[in-house]
Amino acid sequence: MEVKTLCPVTWSMLSSEDQLRRRDALAHGTDAREYVRSFLPADSWLPDLAAIEQANYQLRLQPQVAGLDYSHDKTRLNPSLEVVEVAWRGLLDVIEGKRIEPQPGVEFLLFWRHPRSGVFRSEAASPADLLALKMIVEERDPRVVADANTQPVGTIDRMIEKAMLRGLLLRPPSRLTRLAEDFFIGSGISPKFLSSPAFTLQWHITQKCDLHCRHCYDRSDQADIALDQGVRLLDQMRDFCLNHNVYGQVSFSGGNPFLHPDFFALYRAAVERNLMVGILGNPVSKERLQNLIAIEPPAFYQVSLEGLKDHNDEIRGAGSFEAVVSFLQILQNSQVPSRVMLTLTEENIAEVLPLAEFLRDKADLFTYNRLSMVGEGAVLQSAFGRDYQSFIRDYIEARKNNPIMAQKDNLINIERYNQGLDLFGGCTGFGCGAAFNFVAILPNGEVHACRKYPSPIGNIHHNSLEEIYYSVAARAYRKGPLECADCHLRLVCGGCPAVTYGCGRPPLDKKDPACFVSTQKIEVNQ
């Protein structure tokens, strides 16, 4: 096989005899650095260049590593990874053909193929890269390393996570996996919906709220969760996610989470455990938002609107519409991703598409949930019947020309399936993900499969998150309604048990009263 140089600029700097020597070193797999060093001055950077050129060459000869076996149970090195220590900085620029003069200085250069794409990559390792690799090789506890470096443990977790995302390390498969015997997988439905890469905690840290919405599902009087209890819960959340090989997210909610006296401390504690943080709340001042951003910008900030100005203010209080619109501008100026959620009822169904159009350049995402007729919302009416089916068709059509319109309601997948369109992940990315990749925790420690209706599965003050997750009660919510058990769309649907409950039907037995699924099965794109 003819061996071609990977560095034409440097190649041209060598004599014909030296070119033959380097080609011979590469071709026969000998140590190219030592071979070249034997006939060049001691202060030359060319031997180090030969070493990385050889690593480059040998890696490119390897077969593609995309599709590696991920059945291992521990994080491990990408088997294609090659680490080369050199005494000169800038050699990768030379390899890329840039006419620079390398400078003395130790660097560790990384060469690998990404395990998913098979794309070849080369970079100079950062100290964080080297620490992440060292920890995995030596199987060191992140907590011990964090203490030794006087860093939050999440900082160390994040180093490892970033190395995984870049393909330097291989993450084991997610252990958040639905039992195949519990779910019928219909024709054209991807089995990828059986396993989740992330776990979300919707955390209601307080019941205090500066609004009193007409559809509020819980105005019960509960004491705020104490700071020490909250920190212990976040430790459990971190451990649970690491043990299950998933990414963790905490969505702070309430009431209004900003009204908790220790909200900023709890927010910081979540960040320090490498948990992605989001906000489900009401508008706050620019100053309070900046205090949050100073800790870490939230992944998103979700606010609510219930229609255009008049209807929204009738539901959420006078002035709330303008307050949200003004706050969306603050979020936009602060580069915090914004989400607007609407609770769908018979009263506001006609205002959804006009509101989505109004928000086109004001929010990053807009979507809706159907009203769960519980709490004070029991006096309102959720959306059902043919009008709702027609609305879904209109919503799908409107999304084609409005990029902020997102899909959340599981029943949208029925219409997409009927139209032969690709299916989306549904409410939590996995149809109804209650007690699967999502749980809600109240200020008193009660854990619910879903916050929109009473669905208790335990109390975090009495049992661990792990114990609660694997309880009999939690598994029942994961399985979902018995009437949905044989449905070909179950993995991406399951309806909304909260709506079912609000209609006075047992949510673990009966399907969503708005369900319009057909027994006809067609192929869909995936």
Side-chain angles (χ1 to χ4, degrees):
M1 176 187 297
E2 181 183 359
V3 180
K4 297 181 179 178
T5 178
L6 303 176
C7 182
V9 174
T10 306
W11 190 255
S12 65
M13 298 167 58
L14 300 178
S15 67
S16 298
E17 181 180 358
D18 289 345
Q19 288 180 4
L20 289 174
R21 288 173 174 171
R22 298 217 12 238
R23 179 178 284 123
D24 185 59
L26 291 172
H28 294 90
T30 57
D31 188 324
R33 174 160 35 200
E34 294 304 317
Y35 193 89
V36 173
R37 184 175 287 156
S38 66
F39 59 84
L40 286 175
D43 61 350
S44 173
W45 45 264
L46 288 176
D48 276 358
L49 184 66
I52 66 174
E53 202 167 22
Q54 184 176 40
N56 238 327
Y57 170 74
Q58 291 176 341
L59 182 58
R60 291 179 188 274
L61 286 183
Q62 293 178 8
Q64 295 284 326
V65 295
L68 283 172
D69 177 18
Y70 278 78
S71 60
H72 48 92
D73 59 359
K74 290 184 178 181
T75 300
R76 61 189 178 102
L77 295 181
N78 182 332
S80 74
L81 177 65
E82 183 76 21
V83 183
V84 179
E85 181 181 0
V86 295
W88 297 84
R89 295 182 178 273
L91 294 180
L92 286 181
D93 290 330
V94 175
I95 285 285
E96 293 174 1
K98 298 178 182 178
R99 293 184 176 274
I100 69 164
E101 183 65 29
Q103 299 298 315
V106 174
E107 274 192 331
F108 291 87
L109 305 180
L110 308 177
F111 303 89
W112 77 102
R113 288 188 183 275
H114 195 280
R116 296 294 187 190
S117 66
V119 173
F120 173 82
R121 299 188 65 177
S122 59
E123 293 179 14
S126 68
D129 292 332
L130 296 175
L131 179 57
L133 298 177
K134 178 180 176 67
M135 289 179 60
I136 297 305
V137 170
E138 298 179 358
E139 298 185 349
R140 300 182 64 184
D141 186 337
R143 288 191 180 90
V144 175
V145 176
D147 290 343
N149 288 274
T150 62
Q151 295 282 344
V153 67
T155 301
I156 307 302
D157 289 342
R158 194 166 302 186
M159 290 179 185
I160 296 174
E161 186 176 285
K162 288 181 177 179
M164 290 175 180
L165 292 172
R166 290 164 59 208
L168 298 171
L169 300 174
L170 303 185
R171 179 192 288 272
S174 168
R175 291 182 54 225
L176 285 190
T177 302
R178 286 166 160 161
L179 299 177
E181 60 266 29
D182 287 347
F183 292 90
F184 173 71
I185 303 177
S187 175
I189 309 301
S190 173
K192 70 181 181 181
F193 294 111
L194 283 170
S195 179
S196 174
F199 182 71
T200 297
L201 168 63
Q202 184 175 319
W203 195 14
H204 298 259
I205 60 176
T206 182
Q207 291 289 85
K208 299 188 186 81
C209 190
D210 42 352
L211 298 177
H212 192 146
C213 303
R214 284 179 55 203
H215 57 23
C216 184
Y217 43 70
D218 186 0
R219 297 290 297 183
S220 63
D221 185 18
Q222 297 183 27
D224 297 340
I225 189 167
L227 178 59
D228 59 340
Q229 292 175 329
V231 171
R232 287 196 295 272
L233 171 55
L234 291 170
D235 283 334
Q236 286 195 50
M237 177 68 175
R238 172 186 176 268
D239 290 343
F240 181 89
C241 293
L242 290 176
N243 290 341
H244 290 80
N245 306 319
V246 295
Y247 302 104
Q249 176 188 319
V250 177
S251 296
F252 284 92
S253 188
N256 183 349
F258 281 83
L259 298 181
H260 190 292
D262 296 311
F263 167 59
F264 286 94
L266 291 170
Y267 185 91
R268 182 184 297 278
V271 170
E272 289 180 347
R273 285 151 182 79
N274 193 35
L275 299 168
M276 188 175 82
V277 286
I279 305 295
L280 312 175
N282 301 331
V284 296
S285 68
K286 179 180 179 181
E287 291 70 27
R288 301 208 81 190
L289 179 65
Q290 290 303 318
N291 290 339
L292 201 68
I293 293 172
I295 299 172
E296 180 167 285
F300 63 88
Y301 196 121
Q302 180 176 299
V303 290
S304 296
L305 287 174
E306 310 309 338
L308 300 174
K309 184 177 185 298
D310 289 346
H311 181 76
N312 176 83
D313 287 3
E314 180 185 347
I315 298 293
R316 303 188 69 84
S320 66
F321 185 88
E322 293 300 335
V324 167
V325 172
S326 297
F327 185 61
L328 289 174
Q329 184 63 57
I330 293 175
L331 292 174
Q332 192 174 78
N333 293 343
S334 303
Q335 298 183 318
V336 174
S338 61
R339 297 181 180 181
V340 176
M341 175 66 71
L342 175 142
T343 299
L344 188 68
T345 67
E346 284 190 343
E347 293 181 356
N348 66 3
I349 194 168
E351 298 195 11
V352 174
L353 299 187
L355 178 62
E357 187 59 32
F358 172 79
L359 293 171
R360 176 187 288 268
D361 60 351
K362 298 177 177 62
D364 295 306
L365 182 148
F366 168 77
T367 192
Y368 71 89
N369 261 327
R370 280 177 295 143
L371 171 72
S372 172
M373 296 181 293
V374 299
E376 297 184 5
V379 300
L380 302 177
Q381 184 65 43
S382 194
F384 301 102
R386 293 183 181 275
D387 288 346
Y388 183 54
Q389 297 177 46
S390 177
F391 166 77
I392 287 179
R393 285 191 286 270
D394 292 341
Y395 192 89
I396 291 173
E397 186 63 26
R399 286 188 69 246
K400 297 176 182 178
N401 298 308
N402 190 338
I404 73 165
M405 293 175 65
Q407 300 173 117
K408 184 172 177 63
D409 190 342
N410 291 327
L411 299 191
I412 295 175
N413 265 329
I414 301 176
E415 181 60 29
R416 296 192 67 87
Y417 186 87
N418 291 341
Q419 293 185 24
L421 302 175
D422 60 301
L423 304 179
F424 76 107
C427 182
T428 68
F430 294 83
C432 178
F436 170 51
N437 66 332
F438 170 95
V439 296
I441 299 185
L442 307 190
N444 62 6
E446 285 184 8
V447 184
H448 288 253
C450 174
R451 182 62 179 109
K452 292 173 60 180
Y453 75 111
S455 49
I457 56 176
N459 190 299
I460 201 68
H461 301 322
H462 303 150
N463 297 98
S464 69
L465 182 59
E466 183 104 3
E467 290 170 335
I468 293 170
Y469 186 85
Y470 287 104
S471 66
V472 173
R475 184 181 177 187
Y477 284 104
R478 281 197 287 279
K479 291 178 68 173
L482 291 177
E483 287 190 350
C484 295
D486 295 328
C487 178
H488 54 290
L489 295 178
R490 173 61 187 93
L491 275 182
V492 290
C493 186
C496 181
V499 172
T500 306
Y501 178 90
C503 292
R505 303 182 181 187
L508 296 182
D509 293 327
K510 300 298 183 181
K511 67 180 182 179
D512 190 319
C515 175
F516 55 97
V517 72
S518 169
T519 57
Q520 179 185 8
K521 297 177 174 60
I522 60 176
E523 294 295 328
V524 296
N525 300 318
Q526 282 293 341

